[in-house]
Amino acid sequence: LRSRSPGRALPTMADMAPTMAAAAGSEEAYWSGTLFLSISGADEIALRVDFVEELGYEPPQGPMRVDACPAFPSEGTRTRWLLSEDPDDRKDSLWIWGLFKEPLYPFILFELSLEVACQLPESDGAVLPAGVYYFQGGHARDGAIGAVLTSGKIMRKVGLEVPLLVGESATYMEPFEVGTFVARRAR
């Protein structure tokens, strides 16, 4: 984990590295690289990640490994990814065209759960609030290198009370953008 601010480095969790290496085993990652997160009020954060595909699912999906990140612990959190044709309407799909040609799936969706608020070292007191962070980014396939991930947005959901009938209300979880990310493939 590193800050991209010149001269600043965030500490890594060295004790997590052996656990992550053991978890990697012989699984081949669908995509491996670094996500550079720009979340409002914090220095840019670099996360080293592996997206591992679980075979037999359509659209492609699977677990996501996050290496040595004190903000997003890898154990006991929801760290899954999913390719999508339309993140706003995930019910209907044109994947049947994959019988004739590989489906495009222009979006990748994933989420990271931050169990407790995390003050980022060397960031002048910036704090990432606890909760689930939702990511939506670009995805494409290149015949020579495989999966290509691009930039995207980071969102959180806040509960809004919506009045229904007299004395009744419901909570609607409204998504709002809190930052952006850029994906860089490992070499």
Side-chain angles (χ1 to χ4, degrees), residues 19-171:
T19 305
M20 294 308 299
S26 61
E27 294 175 325
E28 185 175 329
Y30 178 78
W31 186 89
S32 293
T34 304
L35 300 177
F36 296 100
L37 314 181
S38 296
I39 298 176
S40 301
D43 287 342
E44 191 167 73
I45 302 168
L47 295 179
R48 170 67 183 86
V49 300
D50 295 313
F51 294 95
V52 178
E53 182 176 4
E54 289 179 339
L55 300 178
Y57 288 95
E58 190 64 43
Q61 58 189 283
M64 183 174 113
R65 295 188 301 250
V66 180
D67 289 344
C69 176
F72 296 101
S74 64
E75 294 183 24
T77 60
R78 293 179 295 173
T79 53
R80 294 196 51 83
W81 63 275
L82 167 75
L83 295 183
S84 175
E85 292 174 333
D86 182 357
D88 296 323
D89 183 11
R90 296 184 358 194
K91 294 177 191 158
D92 296 327
S93 176
L94 299 175
W95 68 268
I96 190 74
W97 291 108
L99 296 172
F100 309 104
K101 184 178 178 184
E102 185 174 348
L104 297 178
Y105 299 118
F107 298 99
I108 185 165
L109 310 173
F110 58 97
E111 58 188 48
L112 292 173
S113 179
L114 183 56
E115 295 172 1
V116 295
C118 178
Q119 182 165 354
L120 299 173
E122 300 184 29
S123 66
D124 299 326
V127 174
L128 292 179
V132 180
Y133 290 79
Y134 300 91
F135 294 73
Q136 177 184 319
H139 168 267
R141 301 265 322 148
D142 180 295
I145 61 173
V148 177
L149 303 185
T150 57
S151 61
K153 58 186 175 180
I154 305 169
M155 295 169 288
R156 301 230 21 230
K157 293 182 180 178
V158 63
L160 300 174
E161 289 296 319
V162 179
L164 299 175
L165 301 172
V166 176
E168 298 291 324
S169 67
T171 302

